[in-house]
Amino acid sequence: MATQETFILKEKLWRLRLPRVETIIFLCTGLTIAFLVLWPLFWLFGTSFTTYEGGLTLNNWKEAFKAPFLLEATWNTIYVSVVGSLIAVVVGIVLALIVARTDTPGKEFFEFITMLPFITPPIVSGIAWIILADREGGLINIMLAKLGLDFRLNIFSMSGLIFSSVLYMIPFVFFITIGVMRQINPELEDASTICGASKYRTFLRVTVPLLLPGITAGVLLAFMYSNNLFGIHAVIGMPANIWLLTTTIYTSLSVVPVNFHQSAIQGLILLVMAAMAMRGQALVLGKRSYVTISGKGFRAKEVKIGKWRWLTFGICSLYIFLVAVLPYLVIFLRSTKAFAFQPGMSLSELFTDWDFSEYRNAILFDPPSQRAIINSFWLSITAAVFTITLTGIAAYIITKTKLRGRKALGFICMVPLTVPGVVLGVAMIFGYTTYPFMLYGTIWILLLAYMVKDLPLGLQSAQSSFLQIDKELEDSARVCGASWLHQFRTVTLPLVKPGMIVGLIVIFASMVREVGASIILFSLGNEVFAYSIFNAWEDGRWQQMSSFI
């Protein structure tokens, strides 16, 4: 009797067509990602068209464009982004050519060390170059004065702001371009040479067109990432009275009364700029074919450049010195000095009398610094785990299933790529200060912001891992009677585990260095690493700030 009742129950459940475990997991993942990304952006857009009483209006936009500072900030943002991107493209392509196509000594080490800007907060670069190139007390200018030279550097200028930004934009162009260069079939260039074309003509007519996808992708990323360099824009641009949209957003939220409508409009302008950049890439690439990889294997050609390889070695070394060596050396030196560098200081005063007390204070005796260190690490670790989990499932849906809406899911995951950290912070304020999601002022809003910000990074890391798995391996498990959950746990997950761990580490590093969203969303008692650096800079506590870095 019990067996018959069990059979009838199973038959009824089958007729109800209850969703399977994977369906529930996929649906929950898709809805969670869509909510995390679209909810704050919806409120960002809505706030720009509403009054404080909740009515619809266009007056916010009219008032915004009457303000001269908005037009000035927009122009400065476009100028710094475009000029910086162009310089980054030229330098990035040159460096990629050296590493990918020449026999320059130590190029493998150079390629590795170029990753350093990815794990370093941009504010570190800005602070380092202030210490080096401040017109009055910069170390370089002090040295120039001692040599009797009248020439002086001035980091507090438009050229100084662009220079400091470019150092962080170059790696995006470099890594994308070097990947494309290594995929170019050398037979295409050889065919051009055999037909009588010079090396210069071959490079312009064959190599450059094939590099076009990588170049445009590099320009796009550099352009969008330039709007994520809030730390540099703030510490160099604001004292120099050079206002960009990122710093005007911060100012709009810092004044009393807070101008939420202005900050929303400024954030939307940045989003429109990013969307136009992506559209520009599509127009440039069009429908041309850039296929260079076929079934026939090849190896990228390495050019022997003889004695010129020492010149290319010097170029690479100079970049490493400017990005990875000099900034950290000078910040370490400043962290040991209780006083600012002055033009009349002797060399002994510069390089002796070291004081390490701020390191001890930050670790043992300063509660805000201790909270910032603890909060940054546990927030970044927790958010990284949640992010790689969500994007791992999303990547599986996109690459291994034929579910409807998978392309939309991929698009939504990539949307935060166009959202600068400051804009994301503003959107999170609007989205999570209303019922039922009253999270502003808590540490959980930072957790959500970090997750949203790095969804694109997590998706790309997970997708690359899933694409390497042959579908036959999963099908074999299903044929043997394994459920989807068992198959995913015992077959798929072990295969993608190495790539997912790498993605987890990269996401963690990205979250630790996030400045824009952290500064907008912090609250007392919930300080994080980036905010502590920025707050020390605002208060003029340079030794403490340098030691904290």
Side-chain angles (χ1 to χ4, degrees), residues 37-322:
V37 175
L38 300 180
W39 177 258
L41 295 181
F42 166 78
W43 279 96
L44 177 70
F45 180 80
T47 301
S48 69
F49 290 101
T50 57
T51 64
Y52 285 110
E53 292 75 25
L56 295 176
T57 182
L58 292 175
N59 289 333
N60 297 331
W61 287 85
K62 293 178 182 178
E63 293 298 324
F65 282 100
K66 286 181 182 178
F69 77 89
L70 179 61
L71 297 177
E72 178 188 351
T74 303
W75 166 249
N76 287 340
T77 301
I78 295 173
Y79 183 79
V80 170
S81 299
V82 171
V83 175
S85 298
L86 293 177
I87 297 174
V89 165
V90 173
V91 178
I93 290 175
V94 170
L95 295 175
L97 278 171
I98 291 173
V99 173
R101 291 301 190 90
T102 71
D103 59 341
T104 299
K107 60 182 183 179
E108 293 83 6
F109 172 75
F110 168 72
E111 183 176 357
F112 171 77
I113 208 69
T114 305
M115 296 179 62
L116 190 61
F118 286 119
I119 60 175
T120 305
I123 194 173
V124 173
S125 175
I127 290 169
W129 284 101
I130 290 173
I131 299 172
L132 285 165
D134 178 74
R135 186 165 183 82
E136 299 299 328
L139 279 177
I140 294 177
N141 290 328
I142 292 175
M143 295 299 181
L144 291 174
K146 291 187 178 298
L147 294 174
L149 300 175
D150 293 330
F151 175 74
R152 295 292 183 271
L153 299 176
N154 183 16
I155 195 66
F156 293 115
S157 62
M158 181 64 79
S159 58
L161 178 62
I162 293 174
F163 169 78
S164 186
S165 300
V166 163
L167 293 178
Y168 266 77
M169 296 159 68
I170 289 173
F172 288 93
V173 181
F174 172 80
F175 281 108
I176 291 177
T177 307
I178 198 173
V180 176
M181 282 183 179
R182 286 170 173 164
Q183 293 177 343
I184 295 178
N185 192 333
E187 292 181 357
L188 300 174
E189 297 168 311
D190 293 340
S192 175
T193 305
I194 292 172
C195 292
S198 64
K199 292 183 178 180
Y200 178 76
R201 185 176 178 83
T202 297
F203 178 76
L204 290 180
R205 299 299 296 272
V206 177
T207 308
V208 171
L210 293 174
L211 288 175
L212 194 58
I215 293 173
T216 54
V219 171
L220 169 66
L221 281 176
F223 181 87
M224 290 192 298
Y225 188 68
S226 68
N227 294 324
N228 268 307
L229 300 176
F230 170 77
I232 294 176
H233 298 168
V235 299
I236 295 178
M238 288 168 61
N241 202 29
I242 301 174
W243 294 92
L244 286 80
L245 287 171
T246 51
T247 50
T248 57
I249 290 173
Y250 172 74
T251 304
S252 297
L253 295 174
S254 302
V255 298
V256 179
V258 176
N259 197 330
F260 289 113
H261 295 136
Q262 289 284 352
S263 61
I265 291 170
Q266 293 156 10
L268 287 173
I269 293 173
L270 278 176
L271 287 179
V272 170
M273 290 170 56
M276 291 175 64
M278 296 185 71
R279 178 59 180 166
Q281 182 194 30
L283 292 175
V284 170
L285 296 181
K287 295 183 179 180
R288 292 181 57 186
S289 174
Y290 298 93
V291 174
T292 64
I293 302 177
S294 61
K296 184 177 180 181
F298 63 86
R299 183 179 181 181
K301 182 188 296 184
E302 184 180 274
V303 179
K304 305 293 183 181
I305 57 176
K307 61 182 181 180
W308 293 105
R309 66 196 187 109
W310 296 110
L311 174 62
T312 57
F313 175 77
I315 294 173
C316 293
S317 300
L318 176 63
Y319 177 73
I320 291 176
F321 181 72
L322 293 176

Side-chain angles (χ1 to χ4, degrees), residues 21-22 25-26 393 396 466 469 473-474 477-478 482-497:
V21 173
E22 60 265 36
I25 292 175
F26 294 164
I393 299 173
Y396 184 91
F466 280 109
I469 300 176
L473 297 173
E474 297 173 305
R478 301 303 295 272
S483 65
W484 176 86
L485 192 61
H486 184 75
Q487 163 253 305
F488 184 83
R489 183 173 57 84
T490 59
V491 178
T492 308
L493 195 57
L495 293 173
V496 300
K497 185 178 178 180

